[in-house]
Amino acid sequence: MQLPNAEQLRAAQAVVYQHLQPTAQYRWPLLAEALGAPVWVKHENHGALGAFKQRGGLNYLQQLRQREPDVAGLVSATRGNHGQSLASAAALHGLPLQIVVPHGNSQEKNAAMRALGAKLIEHGDDFQAACEHAAHLAETQHWHRVPAFHPDLIAGVASYCLELLSAAPKLARVYVPIGMGSGICAMLAARAALAHSVEVIGVVSQHAPAYARSFNSQQRHCISSHTMLADGMACSTPDPQALQWIREGVARIVEVSDSEVAAAMRLLFSSTHNVAEGAGAASLAAALQERDRHQGQEVGVIISGGNVDSRLYAQVLSGQIELPG
């Protein structure tokens, strides 16, 4: 299997732009001071659903209806943003959707998915358990199971990467958070399509290090996730295809602690007045951790989403939360 090529990315971009406008990428002076280098921030938190995932859902459903016009319904698992994306796209196509989330999932993300029309099912204690239950439901009901990682998701998501890299031709490195892998693989595909020279660096939670440990050891490791803030990166079982593409195209993977993520969330708010969820602030946390590497080069960070529960965000901003790391 190959990453989506330039033609496939442009076709997916056309699908996405039928429903969404491009998001902004800004250079914020206070962030440049903090990093010691010019920094581009890609604002996927400004999208209609507050996260980059919506792009992938639009393209996936469009391609699915062409392949399987008689599909009866959809089932998937999520921690939130993927589910909102699918709920929005399923509504456009008039398809019923069941979303499985683990117990203890974000209440505000759960509410958003229900408001978009999804039937929400709580099952298991982590994302992997939710995935396994979604597979069971899809099989027993003869509905289509939407995976968390797929080339059609990558192609749709890559529309944001094309926007950023086209706007910043001198970008030296970009830090991309890794959940199941669609975002970072989309950046690799966009880099190839534009023949851009940017160095792509993955970011994971120190408390959900499965991709980092698998990347560094050349073996796939399944490791339980214990992050309190970065639920969008709470992956315990790397996708084999994603891992292969990441190994082939990513320079390195940086691990960030929940404490570093919280500090980045606060810095984004004080410097730009933007709200970032944990995964959305992780790339800035990694860029700050590697501050000495930048030496005046242009750096890119991705606010992949801003869908954080208000009570948790208030605790982060006030510093009234005990976090590891």
Side-chain angles (χ1 to χ4, degrees), residues 211-271:
Y211 265 104
R213 304 296 164 81
S214 300
F215 178 85
N216 292 327
S217 72
Q218 298 300 307
Q219 296 180 357
R220 190 164 73 115
H221 292 275
C222 299
I223 305 172
S224 297
S225 166
H226 303 289
T227 174
M228 296 173 61
L229 286 186
D231 58 346
M233 301 193 299
C235 170
S236 62
T237 306
D239 180 272
Q241 182 61 76
L243 183 59
Q244 178 186 331
W245 285 333
I246 288 168
R247 284 172 175 162
E248 291 171 355
V250 170
R252 59 188 174 277
I253 294 180
V254 178
E255 298 182 33
V256 294
S257 69
D258 277 353
S259 293
E260 289 175 307
V261 167
M265 292 168 74
R266 290 191 289 268
L267 179 59
L268 281 168
F269 186 78
S270 63
S271 299

Short mmCIF file of all heavy atoms in Angstrom, two decimals, residues 211-271:
data_model
loop_
_atom_site.label_atom_id
_atom_site.label_comp_id
_atom_site.label_asym_id
_atom_site.label_seq_id
_atom_site.Cartn_x
_atom_site.Cartn_y
_atom_site.Cartn_z
N TYR A 211 3.51 4.42 20.00
CA TYR A 211 4.13 4.72 18.70
C TYR A 211 5.61 5.06 18.84
O TYR A 211 6.44 4.64 18.02
CB TYR A 211 3.39 5.86 18.00
CG TYR A 211 2.32 5.40 17.03
CD1 TYR A 211 0.97 5.46 17.36
CD2 TYR A 211 2.66 4.89 15.78
CE1 TYR A 211 -0.01 5.04 16.47
CE2 TYR A 211 1.69 4.46 14.88
CZ TYR A 211 0.36 4.53 15.23
OH TYR A 211 -0.61 4.09 14.35
N ALA A 212 5.95 5.82 19.86
CA ALA A 212 7.36 6.19 20.06
C ALA A 212 8.22 4.97 20.33
O ALA A 212 9.31 4.81 19.74
CB ALA A 212 7.48 7.19 21.21
N ARG A 213 7.76 4.09 21.19
CA ARG A 213 8.56 2.91 21.52
C ARG A 213 8.65 1.97 20.31
O ARG A 213 9.70 1.36 20.06
CB ARG A 213 7.95 2.17 22.71
CG ARG A 213 7.78 3.06 23.94
CD ARG A 213 9.09 3.57 24.51
NE ARG A 213 8.88 4.68 25.43
CZ ARG A 213 8.52 4.56 26.70
NH1 ARG A 213 8.31 3.35 27.21
NH2 ARG A 213 8.37 5.63 27.46
N SER A 214 7.57 1.88 19.55
CA SER A 214 7.59 1.03 18.35
C SER A 214 8.51 1.63 17.29
O SER A 214 9.25 0.90 16.62
CB SER A 214 6.16 0.91 17.78
OG SER A 214 5.28 0.32 18.73
N PHE A 215 8.49 2.93 17.14
CA PHE A 215 9.35 3.62 16.18
C PHE A 215 10.82 3.41 16.52
O PHE A 215 11.65 3.14 15.65
CB PHE A 215 9.00 5.11 16.19
CG PHE A 215 9.83 5.97 15.28
CD1 PHE A 215 9.50 6.12 13.94
CD2 PHE A 215 10.93 6.66 15.77
CE1 PHE A 215 10.26 6.93 13.11
CE2 PHE A 215 11.69 7.48 14.95
CZ PHE A 215 11.36 7.61 13.60
N ASN A 216 11.15 3.53 17.77
CA ASN A 216 12.55 3.46 18.20
C ASN A 216 13.10 2.04 18.25
O ASN A 216 14.30 1.83 18.10
CB ASN A 216 12.71 4.12 19.57
CG ASN A 216 12.49 5.62 19.51
OD1 ASN A 216 12.80 6.26 18.52
ND2 ASN A 216 11.94 6.18 20.58
N SER A 217 12.24 1.05 18.44
CA SER A 217 12.72 -0.33 18.60
C SER A 217 12.61 -1.17 17.34
O SER A 217 13.11 -2.27 17.29
CB SER A 217 11.94 -1.02 19.72
OG SER A 217 10.62 -1.29 19.29
N GLN A 218 11.89 -0.65 16.33
CA GLN A 218 11.63 -1.39 15.09
C GLN A 218 10.72 -2.60 15.32
O GLN A 218 10.61 -3.47 14.46
CB GLN A 218 12.95 -1.84 14.43
CG GLN A 218 13.84 -0.68 14.02
CD GLN A 218 13.17 0.25 13.02
OE1 GLN A 218 12.69 -0.19 11.98
NE2 GLN A 218 13.15 1.54 13.32
N GLN A 219 10.07 -2.66 16.47
CA GLN A 219 9.04 -3.67 16.73
C GLN A 219 7.78 -2.95 17.18
O GLN A 219 7.85 -1.87 17.76
CB GLN A 219 9.50 -4.65 17.82
CG GLN A 219 10.70 -5.48 17.44
CD GLN A 219 11.11 -6.43 18.56
OE1 GLN A 219 10.53 -6.41 19.64
NE2 GLN A 219 12.12 -7.25 18.30
N ARG A 220 6.63 -3.56 16.92
CA ARG A 220 5.37 -2.93 17.33
C ARG A 220 5.09 -3.26 18.79
O ARG A 220 5.02 -4.43 19.16
CB ARG A 220 4.21 -3.40 16.44
CG ARG A 220 2.93 -2.58 16.66
CD ARG A 220 1.96 -2.79 15.52
NE ARG A 220 1.34 -4.10 15.57
CZ ARG A 220 0.03 -4.30 15.78
NH1 ARG A 220 -0.78 -3.28 15.94
NH2 ARG A 220 -0.45 -5.52 15.78
N HIS A 221 4.93 -2.23 19.61
CA HIS A 221 4.66 -2.40 21.02
C HIS A 221 3.26 -1.91 21.34
O HIS A 221 2.84 -0.85 20.88
CB HIS A 221 5.66 -1.60 21.86
CG HIS A 221 7.07 -2.12 21.79
ND1 HIS A 221 7.54 -3.14 22.58
CD2 HIS A 221 8.10 -1.77 20.98
CE1 HIS A 221 8.80 -3.39 22.29
NE2 HIS A 221 9.17 -2.58 21.31
N CYS A 222 2.54 -2.66 22.15
CA CYS A 222 1.23 -2.26 22.64
C CYS A 222 1.39 -1.89 24.12
O CYS A 222 1.77 -2.73 24.93
CB CYS A 222 0.22 -3.38 22.46
SG CYS A 222 -0.02 -3.87 20.74
N ILE A 223 1.11 -0.63 24.45
CA ILE A 223 1.34 -0.10 25.79
C ILE A 223 0.11 0.66 26.24
O ILE A 223 -0.41 1.51 25.51
CB ILE A 223 2.57 0.83 25.81
CG1 ILE A 223 3.81 0.12 25.26
CG2 ILE A 223 2.83 1.34 27.22
CD1 ILE A 223 5.01 1.01 25.07
N SER A 224 -0.36 0.39 27.42
CA SER A 224 -1.55 1.07 27.94
C SER A 224 -1.33 2.57 28.03
O SER A 224 -0.22 3.05 28.28
CB SER A 224 -1.90 0.52 29.34
OG SER A 224 -2.22 -0.85 29.27
N SER A 225 -2.42 3.31 27.82
CA SER A 225 -2.38 4.76 27.87
C SER A 225 -2.89 5.25 29.21
O SER A 225 -3.89 4.76 29.73
CB SER A 225 -3.25 5.34 26.75
OG SER A 225 -3.49 6.71 26.96
N HIS A 226 -2.18 6.26 29.77
CA HIS A 226 -2.58 6.81 31.06
C HIS A 226 -2.56 8.34 31.05
O HIS A 226 -2.49 8.95 32.12
CB HIS A 226 -1.66 6.29 32.18
CG HIS A 226 -1.62 4.79 32.28
ND1 HIS A 226 -2.69 4.06 32.75
CD2 HIS A 226 -0.67 3.90 31.94
CE1 HIS A 226 -2.38 2.76 32.73
NE2 HIS A 226 -1.17 2.64 32.24
N THR A 227 -2.63 8.95 29.88
CA THR A 227 -2.61 10.40 29.83
C THR A 227 -3.90 10.98 30.40
O THR A 227 -4.99 10.49 30.12
CB THR A 227 -2.38 10.91 28.40
OG1 THR A 227 -2.50 12.35 28.38
CG2 THR A 227 -3.38 10.33 27.41
N MET A 228 -3.77 12.06 31.16
CA MET A 228 -4.93 12.74 31.74
C MET A 228 -5.43 13.87 30.84
O MET A 228 -6.58 14.29 30.97
CB MET A 228 -4.57 13.30 33.11
CG MET A 228 -4.23 12.26 34.15
SD MET A 228 -3.63 12.98 35.71
CE MET A 228 -5.05 13.96 36.20
N LEU A 229 -4.58 14.37 29.96
CA LEU A 229 -4.93 15.54 29.16
C LEU A 229 -5.07 15.26 27.68
O LEU A 229 -5.92 15.85 27.01
CB LEU A 229 -3.87 16.65 29.33
CG LEU A 229 -3.86 17.42 30.63
CD1 LEU A 229 -2.83 18.55 30.54
CD2 LEU A 229 -5.23 18.00 30.95
N ALA A 230 -4.21 14.40 27.13
CA ALA A 230 -4.11 14.26 25.68
C ALA A 230 -4.89 13.05 25.19
O ALA A 230 -4.34 12.09 24.64
CB ALA A 230 -2.65 14.17 25.25
N ASP A 231 -6.23 13.07 25.38
CA ASP A 231 -7.02 11.91 24.98
C ASP A 231 -6.96 11.65 23.48
O ASP A 231 -7.10 10.52 23.02
CB ASP A 231 -8.48 12.03 25.45
CG ASP A 231 -9.18 13.27 24.92
OD1 ASP A 231 -8.51 14.18 24.42
OD2 ASP A 231 -10.43 13.33 25.04
N GLY A 232 -6.70 12.70 22.68
CA GLY A 232 -6.57 12.51 21.24
C GLY A 232 -5.33 11.74 20.83
O GLY A 232 -5.21 11.34 19.67
N MET A 233 -4.41 11.53 21.77
CA MET A 233 -3.20 10.75 21.50
C MET A 233 -3.15 9.48 22.34
O MET A 233 -2.10 8.86 22.47
CB MET A 233 -1.94 11.59 21.76
CG MET A 233 -1.86 12.86 20.93
SD MET A 233 -0.23 13.64 20.97
CE MET A 233 -0.09 14.00 22.71
N ALA A 234 -4.30 9.09 22.91
CA ALA A 234 -4.33 7.95 23.83
C ALA A 234 -4.39 6.63 23.08
O ALA A 234 -5.33 5.86 23.21
CB ALA A 234 -5.52 8.09 24.77
N CYS A 235 -3.37 6.38 22.30
CA CYS A 235 -3.28 5.14 21.51
C CYS A 235 -2.43 4.12 22.25
O CYS A 235 -1.30 4.43 22.67
CB CYS A 235 -2.67 5.44 20.14
SG CYS A 235 -2.26 3.96 19.20
N SER A 236 -2.96 2.91 22.39
CA SER A 236 -2.19 1.85 23.03
C SER A 236 -1.68 0.82 22.03
O SER A 236 -0.73 0.08 22.32
CB SER A 236 -3.04 1.13 24.08
OG SER A 236 -4.17 0.51 23.47
N THR A 237 -2.29 0.78 20.82
CA THR A 237 -1.95 -0.23 19.82
C THR A 237 -1.73 0.43 18.47
O THR A 237 -2.68 0.80 17.79
CB THR A 237 -3.08 -1.28 19.71
OG1 THR A 237 -3.37 -1.82 21.00
CG2 THR A 237 -2.69 -2.39 18.76
N PRO A 238 -0.47 0.61 18.05
CA PRO A 238 -0.21 1.28 16.77
C PRO A 238 -0.76 0.51 15.58
O PRO A 238 -0.78 -0.73 15.58
CB PRO A 238 1.33 1.33 16.71
CG PRO A 238 1.77 1.20 18.13
CD PRO A 238 0.76 0.30 18.78
N ASP A 239 -1.22 1.24 14.58
CA ASP A 239 -1.64 0.60 13.34
C ASP A 239 -0.39 0.19 12.56
O ASP A 239 0.52 1.00 12.36
CB ASP A 239 -2.46 1.59 12.51
CG ASP A 239 -2.94 0.98 11.21
OD1 ASP A 239 -2.18 1.06 10.20
OD2 ASP A 239 -4.04 0.42 11.19
N PRO A 240 -0.30 -1.06 12.08
CA PRO A 240 0.92 -1.52 11.40
C PRO A 240 1.27 -0.70 10.17
O PRO A 240 2.45 -0.39 9.94
CB PRO A 240 0.60 -2.97 11.04
CG PRO A 240 -0.46 -3.39 12.00
CD PRO A 240 -1.28 -2.16 12.26
N GLN A 241 0.27 -0.34 9.34
CA GLN A 241 0.56 0.43 8.13
C GLN A 241 1.01 1.84 8.47
O GLN A 241 1.95 2.38 7.88
CB GLN A 241 -0.67 0.48 7.22
CG GLN A 241 -0.43 1.23 5.91
CD GLN A 241 0.64 0.60 5.06
OE1 GLN A 241 0.42 -0.41 4.43
NE2 GLN A 241 1.83 1.20 5.03
N ALA A 242 0.34 2.45 9.45
CA ALA A 242 0.76 3.78 9.88
C ALA A 242 2.19 3.75 10.39
O ALA A 242 3.00 4.64 10.07
CB ALA A 242 -0.19 4.31 10.96
N LEU A 243 2.50 2.74 11.18
CA LEU A 243 3.84 2.63 11.75
C LEU A 243 4.88 2.50 10.65
O LEU A 243 5.96 3.11 10.72
CB LEU A 243 3.89 1.44 12.69
CG LEU A 243 5.20 1.21 13.44
CD1 LEU A 243 5.56 2.41 14.29
CD2 LEU A 243 5.08 -0.05 14.32
N GLN A 244 4.58 1.75 9.60
CA GLN A 244 5.52 1.60 8.50
C GLN A 244 5.80 2.94 7.83
O GLN A 244 6.95 3.32 7.59
CB GLN A 244 4.98 0.63 7.46
CG GLN A 244 5.90 0.46 6.24
CD GLN A 244 5.28 -0.40 5.16
OE1 GLN A 244 4.47 -1.28 5.43
NE2 GLN A 244 5.64 -0.15 3.91
N TRP A 245 4.74 3.70 7.52
CA TRP A 245 4.91 4.98 6.86
C TRP A 245 5.62 5.99 7.77
O TRP A 245 6.45 6.79 7.31
CB TRP A 245 3.56 5.52 6.42
CG TRP A 245 3.01 4.82 5.20
CD1 TRP A 245 3.73 4.20 4.22
CD2 TRP A 245 1.63 4.68 4.84
NE1 TRP A 245 2.88 3.67 3.27
CE2 TRP A 245 1.60 3.95 3.62
CE3 TRP A 245 0.43 5.07 5.43
CZ2 TRP A 245 0.40 3.64 2.98
CZ3 TRP A 245 -0.76 4.77 4.79
CH2 TRP A 245 -0.78 4.05 3.58
N ILE A 246 5.33 5.93 9.06
CA ILE A 246 6.00 6.82 10.00
C ILE A 246 7.49 6.50 10.07
O ILE A 246 8.34 7.40 10.06
CB ILE A 246 5.34 6.70 11.39
CG1 ILE A 246 3.95 7.36 11.36
CG2 ILE A 246 6.20 7.34 12.47
CD1 ILE A 246 3.11 7.06 12.58
N ARG A 247 7.82 5.22 10.10
CA ARG A 247 9.24 4.85 10.12
C ARG A 247 9.96 5.32 8.86
O ARG A 247 11.13 5.71 8.91
CB ARG A 247 9.37 3.33 10.25
CG ARG A 247 9.10 2.79 11.65
CD ARG A 247 9.06 1.29 11.64
NE ARG A 247 8.93 0.72 12.98
CZ ARG A 247 8.52 -0.52 13.23
NH1 ARG A 247 8.21 -1.33 12.21
NH2 ARG A 247 8.43 -0.96 14.46
N GLU A 248 9.26 5.28 7.74
CA GLU A 248 9.89 5.64 6.47
C GLU A 248 10.06 7.15 6.30
O GLU A 248 10.99 7.59 5.62
CB GLU A 248 9.04 5.10 5.30
CG GLU A 248 9.05 3.58 5.18
CD GLU A 248 8.05 3.07 4.17
OE1 GLU A 248 7.27 3.88 3.61
OE2 GLU A 248 8.03 1.84 3.92
N GLY A 249 9.18 7.95 6.91
CA GLY A 249 9.19 9.37 6.59
C GLY A 249 9.38 10.35 7.72
O GLY A 249 9.62 11.53 7.47
N VAL A 250 9.30 9.90 8.96
CA VAL A 250 9.37 10.81 10.10
C VAL A 250 10.80 10.83 10.65
O VAL A 250 11.45 9.79 10.77
CB VAL A 250 8.37 10.37 11.19
CG1 VAL A 250 8.58 11.13 12.49
CG2 VAL A 250 6.94 10.57 10.68
N ALA A 251 11.28 12.02 10.98
CA ALA A 251 12.66 12.16 11.45
C ALA A 251 12.84 11.55 12.83
O ALA A 251 13.83 10.86 13.10
CB ALA A 251 13.05 13.63 11.47
N ARG A 252 11.89 11.80 13.73
CA ARG A 252 11.96 11.30 15.10
C ARG A 252 10.59 11.51 15.74
O ARG A 252 9.73 12.20 15.19
CB ARG A 252 13.04 12.01 15.92
CG ARG A 252 12.85 13.51 16.02
CD ARG A 252 14.06 14.19 16.66
NE ARG A 252 13.92 15.66 16.62
CZ ARG A 252 14.24 16.40 15.57
NH1 ARG A 252 14.70 15.84 14.46
NH2 ARG A 252 14.08 17.72 15.62
N ILE A 253 10.41 10.93 16.90
CA ILE A 253 9.19 11.12 17.67
C ILE A 253 9.58 11.66 19.04
O ILE A 253 10.46 11.11 19.71
CB ILE A 253 8.38 9.82 17.80
CG1 ILE A 253 7.86 9.38 16.43
CG2 ILE A 253 7.21 10.01 18.77
CD1 ILE A 253 7.05 8.09 16.46
N VAL A 254 8.92 12.73 19.44
CA VAL A 254 9.17 13.37 20.73
C VAL A 254 8.04 13.00 21.69
O VAL A 254 6.87 13.05 21.32
CB VAL A 254 9.24 14.91 20.57
CG1 VAL A 254 9.44 15.58 21.92
CG2 VAL A 254 10.35 15.29 19.60
N GLU A 255 8.41 12.63 22.90
CA GLU A 255 7.42 12.34 23.95
C GLU A 255 7.26 13.56 24.86
O GLU A 255 8.25 14.13 25.30
CB GLU A 255 7.85 11.13 24.77
CG GLU A 255 7.96 9.84 23.98
CD GLU A 255 8.35 8.65 24.85
OE1 GLU A 255 7.94 8.63 26.04
OE2 GLU A 255 9.05 7.75 24.35
N VAL A 256 6.01 13.93 25.12
CA VAL A 256 5.74 15.08 25.98
C VAL A 256 4.88 14.63 27.16
O VAL A 256 3.99 13.80 27.01
CB VAL A 256 5.05 16.23 25.22
CG1 VAL A 256 5.99 16.82 24.18
CG2 VAL A 256 3.76 15.77 24.55
N SER A 257 5.15 15.18 28.33
CA SER A 257 4.40 14.83 29.51
C SER A 257 3.11 15.64 29.59
O SER A 257 2.95 16.68 28.92
CB SER A 257 5.23 15.09 30.77
OG SER A 257 5.41 16.50 30.95
N ASP A 258 2.18 15.20 30.43
CA ASP A 258 0.96 15.97 30.64
C ASP A 258 1.28 17.36 31.20
O ASP A 258 0.59 18.34 30.87
CB ASP A 258 0.03 15.23 31.61
CG ASP A 258 -0.82 14.16 30.91
OD1 ASP A 258 -0.78 14.09 29.66
OD2 ASP A 258 -1.50 13.40 31.61
N SER A 259 2.30 17.47 32.03
CA SER A 259 2.68 18.78 32.56
C SER A 259 3.17 19.70 31.45
O SER A 259 2.84 20.90 31.44
CB SER A 259 3.77 18.62 33.63
OG SER A 259 3.27 17.95 34.78
N GLU A 260 3.94 19.16 30.51
CA GLU A 260 4.40 19.97 29.37
C GLU A 260 3.23 20.37 28.48
O GLU A 260 3.17 21.50 27.96
CB GLU A 260 5.44 19.20 28.57
CG GLU A 260 6.77 19.04 29.26
CD GLU A 260 7.73 18.16 28.48
OE1 GLU A 260 7.35 17.02 28.11
OE2 GLU A 260 8.86 18.61 28.20
N VAL A 261 2.29 19.45 28.30
CA VAL A 261 1.10 19.76 27.49
C VAL A 261 0.29 20.87 28.16
O VAL A 261 -0.17 21.81 27.50
CB VAL A 261 0.25 18.50 27.29
CG1 VAL A 261 -1.13 18.85 26.74
CG2 VAL A 261 0.96 17.53 26.36
N ALA A 262 0.11 20.80 29.47
CA ALA A 262 -0.63 21.83 30.19
C ALA A 262 0.05 23.19 30.05
O ALA A 262 -0.62 24.22 29.83
CB ALA A 262 -0.77 21.45 31.66
N ALA A 263 1.37 23.21 30.14
CA ALA A 263 2.10 24.47 29.98
C ALA A 263 1.91 25.03 28.58
O ALA A 263 1.76 26.25 28.39
CB ALA A 263 3.58 24.25 30.27
N ALA A 264 1.89 24.15 27.58
CA ALA A 264 1.67 24.60 26.20
C ALA A 264 0.24 25.12 26.01
O ALA A 264 0.02 26.09 25.27
CB ALA A 264 1.96 23.46 25.23
N MET A 265 -0.74 24.48 26.64
CA MET A 265 -2.12 24.96 26.57
C MET A 265 -2.22 26.37 27.14
O MET A 265 -2.88 27.25 26.57
CB MET A 265 -3.05 24.01 27.33
CG MET A 265 -3.21 22.65 26.67
SD MET A 265 -4.04 21.42 27.74
CE MET A 265 -5.75 22.01 27.66
N ARG A 266 -1.53 26.61 28.26
CA ARG A 266 -1.55 27.94 28.88
C ARG A 266 -0.83 28.95 28.00
O ARG A 266 -1.30 30.09 27.84
CB ARG A 266 -0.91 27.88 30.27
CG ARG A 266 -1.75 27.13 31.30
CD ARG A 266 -1.21 27.32 32.71
NE ARG A 266 0.05 26.60 32.91
CZ ARG A 266 0.15 25.36 33.38
NH1 ARG A 266 -0.96 24.67 33.68
NH2 ARG A 266 1.32 24.80 33.57
N LEU A 267 0.29 28.56 27.42
CA LEU A 267 1.04 29.48 26.56
C LEU A 267 0.25 29.84 25.31
O LEU A 267 0.25 31.01 24.89
CB LEU A 267 2.38 28.85 26.18
CG LEU A 267 3.28 29.68 25.25
CD1 LEU A 267 3.62 31.03 25.89
CD2 LEU A 267 4.55 28.91 24.90
N LEU A 268 -0.42 28.87 24.71
CA LEU A 268 -1.24 29.17 23.54
C LEU A 268 -2.34 30.17 23.88
O LEU A 268 -2.63 31.07 23.10
CB LEU A 268 -1.85 27.88 22.97
CG LEU A 268 -0.91 27.03 22.12
CD1 LEU A 268 -1.51 25.66 21.87
CD2 LEU A 268 -0.60 27.73 20.79
N PHE A 269 -2.93 30.00 25.06
CA PHE A 269 -3.99 30.94 25.43
C PHE A 269 -3.42 32.33 25.71
O PHE A 269 -3.96 33.34 25.22
CB PHE A 269 -4.76 30.44 26.65
CG PHE A 269 -5.95 31.30 26.97
CD1 PHE A 269 -7.11 31.19 26.22
CD2 PHE A 269 -5.89 32.23 27.99
CE1 PHE A 269 -8.21 32.00 26.49
CE2 PHE A 269 -6.98 33.04 28.27
CZ PHE A 269 -8.14 32.93 27.51
N SER A 270 -2.35 32.41 26.45
CA SER A 270 -1.80 33.73 26.80
C SER A 270 -1.17 34.43 25.60
O SER A 270 -1.19 35.66 25.52
CB SER A 270 -0.76 33.59 27.92
OG SER A 270 0.36 32.82 27.50
N SER A 271 -0.63 33.66 24.66
CA SER A 271 0.06 34.24 23.51
C SER A 271 -0.84 34.49 22.31
O SER A 271 -0.55 35.36 21.49
CB SER A 271 1.22 33.34 23.07
OG SER A 271 2.16 33.18 24.09
#
